[in-house]
Amino acid sequence: MNNNFGFIITRHVNSVKTNNYWNNCVKLLRRLYPLKKIVIIDDNSNYDYVISEFNYKNIEIIKSEFPGRGELLPYYYLLKKKFFENAIIIHDSVFFHKRIAFEKLYGINVLPLWFFNSDKENVYNTKRIVRRIKNNFSIDDKISKNLNILGMNNDTWYGCFGVQSYINLVFLQNIENKYGITNLIPSVTCRKDRCCLERIFGVIFSLESKSLNRKSLFGNIMEYQKWGYSYDDYMNDLK
């Protein structure tokens, strides 16, 4: 065992079905990465439904004191707890069926798992949230450029889908020092705000990582699989 990389999973359980998500996510990771630490950040789950299907090993569960912050929480707790040198940050509904050689990414500062093209969604709310961080002019400028384009996508930046990424801790600390991303905690309280985070983090990653020579590890999320693909769809395909 070593701490060169590990996994951070954001979890929210509110039903019997959603309890299956994190269990399946962890079981698959443990099969493919038996010695790697897994950290689960629980975001306001209903613990009447949270049931572990196995006695999982080498797992740390943190009940967040910031309900509703979702995708921001793994970065906050990675900065606070410094779990490992490099983190793979995912949602509880991401299921690995093949081992990815993340050790080959050593030396890369950050790599989104999926990207999406720049858009005009929630621009004004994104600009509101961006005002909470330091040195926000360049981020605001990139987000604002799309407002001036009528019916066109200029691809001036790329979103980080679900704010899911492979990220180096030192790089994240440098981002925190420059921008103060943990200052976003009071401003991100709902799903609409968390969608804005996908755009804010996407811009920051592209601005700050000189080693980011590809948009993401797995490609454009809009082309990766059918939009709206459900857990039932997944289970049917698996069978």
Coordinates of all heavy atoms in Angstrom, one line a residue, residues 179-223:
Y179 N -6.6 31.2 -5.8 CA -8.0 31.5 -6.0 C -8.9 31.4 -4.7 O -9.9 32.1 -4.7 CB -8.6 30.6 -7.1 CG -8.1 30.8 -8.5 CD1 -7.1 29.9 -9.0 CD2 -8.4 31.9 -9.3 CE1 -6.6 30.0 -10.2 CE2 -7.9 32.0 -10.5 CZ -7.0 31.1 -11.0 OH -6.4 31.2 -12.3
G180 N -8.4 30.6 -3.8 CA -9.2 30.5 -2.6 C -10.6 29.8 -2.9 O -11.6 30.2 -2.6
I181 N -10.5 28.6 -3.5 CA -11.7 27.9 -4.0 C -12.6 27.5 -2.8 O -13.8 27.3 -3.0 CB -11.4 26.7 -4.9 CG1 -10.4 25.7 -4.2 CG2 -10.8 27.2 -6.2 CD1 -10.2 24.5 -5.0
T182 N -12.0 27.3 -1.6 CA -12.8 26.9 -0.5 C -13.7 28.0 -0.1 O -14.7 27.8 0.7 CB -11.9 26.5 0.7 OG1 -11.0 27.5 1.0 CG2 -11.2 25.2 0.4
N183 N -13.5 29.2 -0.6 CA -14.4 30.4 -0.3 C -15.7 30.2 -1.0 O -16.6 31.0 -0.7 CB -13.7 31.7 -0.7 CG -12.5 32.1 0.1 OD1 -12.4 31.6 1.3 ND2 -11.6 32.8 -0.4
L184 N -15.8 29.2 -1.9 CA -17.0 29.0 -2.6 C -18.1 28.2 -1.8 O -19.2 28.2 -2.1 CB -16.8 28.2 -3.9 CG -15.9 28.8 -5.0 CD1 -15.6 27.8 -6.0 CD2 -16.7 30.0 -5.6
I185 N -17.6 27.7 -0.6 CA -18.6 26.9 0.2 C -19.9 27.6 0.5 O -21.0 27.1 0.4 CB -17.9 26.5 1.5 CG1 -16.8 25.4 1.2 CG2 -18.9 26.0 2.5 CD1 -17.3 24.0 1.0
P186 N -19.9 28.9 0.9 CA -21.1 29.6 1.2 C -22.0 29.8 0.0 O -23.2 30.0 0.2 CB -20.7 30.9 1.9 CG -19.3 30.7 2.3 CD -18.7 29.8 1.3
S187 N -21.4 29.9 -1.2 CA -22.2 30.3 -2.4 C -22.7 29.1 -3.2 O -23.5 29.3 -4.1 CB -21.3 31.1 -3.3 OG -20.9 32.3 -2.7
V188 N -22.3 27.9 -2.8 CA -22.8 26.7 -3.6 C -23.7 25.9 -2.7 O -23.2 25.2 -1.7 CB -21.6 25.9 -4.0 CG1 -22.0 24.6 -4.7 CG2 -20.7 26.7 -4.9
T189 N -25.0 26.0 -2.9 CA -25.9 25.4 -2.0 C -27.0 24.5 -2.7 O -27.8 23.9 -2.0 CB -26.7 26.5 -1.2 OG1 -27.4 27.3 -2.1 CG2 -25.7 27.3 -0.4
C190 N -27.0 24.4 -4.0 CA -28.0 23.7 -4.7 C -27.4 23.1 -6.0 O -26.3 23.5 -6.4 CB -29.2 24.6 -5.0 SG -28.9 26.0 -6.1
R191 N -28.2 22.4 -6.7 CA -27.8 21.7 -8.0 C -27.4 22.8 -9.0 O -26.4 22.6 -9.7 CB -28.8 20.8 -8.5 CG -28.4 20.0 -9.7 CD -29.4 19.0 -10.2 NE -28.9 18.2 -11.3 CZ -28.8 18.6 -12.6 NH1 -29.2 19.8 -12.9 NH2 -28.3 17.8 -13.5
K192 N -28.2 23.8 -9.1 CA -27.9 24.9 -10.1 C -26.5 25.5 -9.8 O -25.7 25.7 -10.8 CB -29.0 26.0 -10.0 CG -28.7 27.1 -11.0 CD -29.9 28.1 -10.9 CE -29.8 28.9 -9.6 NZ -30.8 30.0 -9.5
D193 N -26.2 25.7 -8.6 CA -24.8 26.2 -8.2 C -23.7 25.2 -8.6 O -22.7 25.6 -9.0 CB -24.8 26.6 -6.8 CG -25.8 27.7 -6.4 OD1 -26.2 28.4 -7.3 OD2 -26.1 27.8 -5.2
R194 N -24.0 23.9 -8.3 CA -23.0 22.9 -8.6 C -22.8 22.7 -10.1 O -21.6 22.4 -10.5 CB -23.5 21.6 -7.9 CG -23.6 21.6 -6.4 CD -23.6 20.2 -5.8 NE -24.8 19.5 -6.3 CZ -26.0 19.5 -5.7 NH1 -26.2 20.3 -4.6 NH2 -27.0 18.8 -6.1
C195 N -23.8 23.0 -10.9 CA -23.6 23.0 -12.3 C -22.6 24.1 -12.7 O -21.8 24.0 -13.6 CB -24.9 23.2 -13.1 SG -26.0 21.7 -13.0
C196 N -22.7 25.2 -12.0 CA -21.8 26.3 -12.3 C -20.3 26.0 -11.9 O -19.4 26.4 -12.6 CB -22.2 27.6 -11.5 SG -23.8 28.3 -12.0
L197 N -20.2 25.1 -10.9 CA -18.8 24.7 -10.5 C -18.2 23.9 -11.7 O -17.0 24.0 -11.8 CB -18.9 23.7 -9.3 CG -19.0 24.4 -7.9 CD1 -19.0 23.3 -6.9 CD2 -17.9 25.4 -7.7
E198 N -18.9 23.2 -12.5 CA -18.4 22.4 -13.6 C -17.7 23.4 -14.5 O -16.6 23.1 -15.1 CB -19.5 21.7 -14.3 CG -20.2 20.6 -13.6 CD -21.3 20.0 -14.4 OE1 -22.2 20.7 -14.9 OE2 -21.3 18.7 -14.5
R199 N -18.3 24.5 -14.7 CA -17.7 25.5 -15.6 C -16.5 26.3 -15.0 O -15.5 26.5 -15.6 CB -18.8 26.5 -16.0 CG -19.8 25.8 -16.9 CD -21.3 26.2 -16.8 NE -22.1 25.5 -17.7 CZ -22.7 24.3 -17.5 NH1 -22.5 23.7 -16.3 NH2 -23.5 23.8 -18.4
I200 N -16.7 26.7 -13.7 CA -15.6 27.4 -13.0 C -14.3 26.5 -12.9 O -13.2 27.0 -13.2 CB -16.1 27.8 -11.6 CG1 -17.2 28.9 -11.8 CG2 -14.9 28.4 -10.8 CD1 -17.9 29.2 -10.5
F201 N -14.5 25.3 -12.5 CA -13.3 24.4 -12.3 C -12.7 24.1 -13.7 O -11.5 24.0 -13.8 CB -13.7 23.2 -11.6 CG -13.6 23.3 -10.1 CD1 -14.4 24.1 -9.4 CD2 -12.6 22.6 -9.4 CE1 -14.3 24.2 -8.0 CE2 -12.5 22.7 -8.0 CZ -13.4 23.5 -7.3
G202 N -13.6 23.9 -14.7 CA -13.0 23.7 -16.0 C -12.2 24.8 -16.5 O -11.1 24.6 -17.1
V203 N -12.6 26.0 -16.3 CA -11.8 27.2 -16.7 C -10.5 27.3 -15.9 O -9.4 27.5 -16.4 CB -12.6 28.5 -16.5 CG1 -11.7 29.7 -16.8 CG2 -13.8 28.5 -17.5
I204 N -10.6 27.1 -14.6 CA -9.4 27.1 -13.7 C -8.4 26.1 -14.2 O -7.2 26.3 -14.3 CB -9.7 26.9 -12.2 CG1 -10.5 28.2 -11.7 CG2 -8.5 26.7 -11.4 CD1 -11.0 28.0 -10.3
F205 N -8.8 24.8 -14.4 CA -7.9 23.8 -14.8 C -7.2 24.1 -16.1 O -6.0 23.9 -16.2 CB -8.7 22.5 -15.0 CG -9.2 21.9 -13.7 CD1 -10.2 20.9 -13.7 CD2 -8.7 22.3 -12.5 CE1 -10.7 20.3 -12.6 CE2 -9.2 21.7 -11.3 CZ -10.2 20.7 -11.3
S206 N -7.9 24.7 -17.1 CA -7.3 25.0 -18.3 C -6.3 26.2 -18.2 O -5.3 26.2 -18.9 CB -8.3 25.3 -19.4 OG -9.1 26.4 -19.0
L207 N -6.6 27.1 -17.3 CA -5.7 28.3 -17.1 C -4.5 27.9 -16.4 O -3.4 28.4 -16.7 CB -6.5 29.3 -16.3 CG -7.6 30.2 -17.1 CD1 -8.3 31.1 -16.1 CD2 -6.9 31.0 -18.2
E208 N -4.6 27.0 -15.4 CA -3.4 26.8 -14.5 C -2.6 25.6 -14.8 O -1.5 25.4 -14.3 CB -4.0 26.7 -13.1 CG -4.7 27.9 -12.6 CD -3.8 29.1 -12.6 OE1 -2.5 28.9 -12.2 OE2 -4.2 30.2 -12.9
S209 N -3.1 24.6 -15.6 CA -2.3 23.4 -15.9 C -1.6 23.5 -17.2 O -2.2 23.3 -18.3 CB -3.2 22.2 -15.8 OG -2.4 21.0 -16.0
K210 N -0.3 23.7 -17.2 CA 0.5 23.7 -18.5 C 0.6 22.3 -19.1 O 0.9 22.2 -20.3 CB 1.8 24.3 -18.2 CG 1.8 25.8 -17.8 CD 3.2 26.3 -17.6 CE 3.2 27.8 -17.4 NZ 2.5 28.1 -16.2
S211 N 0.4 21.3 -18.2 CA 0.5 19.9 -18.7 C -0.8 19.4 -19.3 O -0.9 18.2 -19.7 CB 1.0 19.0 -17.6 OG 0.0 19.0 -16.5
L212 N -1.9 20.2 -19.3 CA -3.2 19.8 -19.8 C -3.2 19.9 -21.3 O -3.6 20.9 -21.9 CB -4.3 20.6 -19.1 CG -5.7 20.1 -19.3 CD1 -5.9 18.7 -18.8 CD2 -6.7 21.1 -18.7
N213 N -2.7 18.8 -21.9 CA -2.7 18.8 -23.4 C -3.8 18.0 -24.0 O -3.8 17.8 -25.2 CB -1.3 18.3 -23.9 CG -1.0 16.9 -23.4 OD1 -1.9 16.2 -22.8 ND2 0.2 16.4 -23.6
R214 N -4.8 17.6 -23.2 CA -6.0 17.0 -23.7 C -7.1 17.4 -22.9 O -7.0 17.8 -21.7 CB -5.9 15.4 -23.8 CG -5.6 14.8 -22.5 CD -5.3 13.3 -22.6 NE -6.5 12.6 -23.1 CZ -6.5 11.3 -23.4 NH1 -5.4 10.6 -23.3 NH2 -7.6 10.7 -23.8
K215 N -8.3 17.4 -23.4 CA -9.5 18.0 -22.7 C -10.0 17.1 -21.6 O -10.4 17.6 -20.6 CB -10.6 18.2 -23.7 CG -10.3 19.1 -24.9 CD -11.4 19.1 -25.9 CE -11.0 19.8 -27.2 NZ -12.0 19.7 -28.3
S216 N -9.8 15.8 -21.7 CA -10.2 14.9 -20.6 C -9.7 13.5 -20.8 O -9.2 13.2 -21.9 CB -11.8 14.9 -20.5 OG -12.3 14.1 -21.6
L217 N -9.9 12.6 -19.9 CA -9.4 11.3 -20.0 C -10.3 10.4 -20.9 O -9.9 9.6 -21.7 CB -9.3 10.6 -18.6 CG -8.7 9.2 -18.5 CD1 -7.3 9.2 -19.0 CD2 -8.8 8.7 -17.1
F218 N -11.6 10.6 -20.7 CA -12.6 9.7 -21.4 C -13.4 10.4 -22.5 O -14.3 9.8 -23.1 CB -13.6 9.2 -20.4 CG -13.0 8.3 -19.3 CD1 -13.2 8.6 -18.0 CD2 -12.1 7.3 -19.6 CE1 -12.6 7.9 -17.0 CE2 -11.5 6.5 -18.6 CZ -11.8 6.8 -17.3
G219 N -13.1 11.7 -22.8 CA -13.7 12.4 -23.9 C -14.9 13.2 -23.5 O -15.2 13.5 -22.4
N220 N -15.7 13.6 -24.5 CA -16.9 14.4 -24.4 C -18.0 13.6 -23.8 O -18.5 12.6 -24.3 CB -17.3 15.0 -25.7 CG -18.4 16.1 -25.6 OD1 -19.2 16.1 -24.7 ND2 -18.4 17.0 -26.6
I221 N -18.6 14.1 -22.6 CA -19.6 13.3 -22.0 C -20.9 13.2 -22.8 O -21.6 12.2 -22.8 CB -20.0 14.0 -20.6 CG1 -20.9 13.1 -19.8 CG2 -20.5 15.4 -20.8 CD1 -20.4 11.7 -19.4
M222 N -21.1 14.2 -23.7 CA -22.3 14.1 -24.6 C -22.2 13.0 -25.7 O -23.2 12.6 -26.2 CB -22.5 15.5 -25.3 CG -22.7 16.6 -24.3 SD -24.1 16.4 -23.3 CE -24.1 17.9 -22.3
E223 N -20.9 12.6 -25.9 CA -20.7 11.5 -26.9 C -20.4 10.2 -26.2 O -20.3 9.2 -26.9 CB -19.6 11.9 -27.8 CG -19.9 13.2 -28.6 CD -18.6 13.8 -29.3 OE1 -17.6 13.1 -29.2 OE2 -18.7 14.8 -30.0

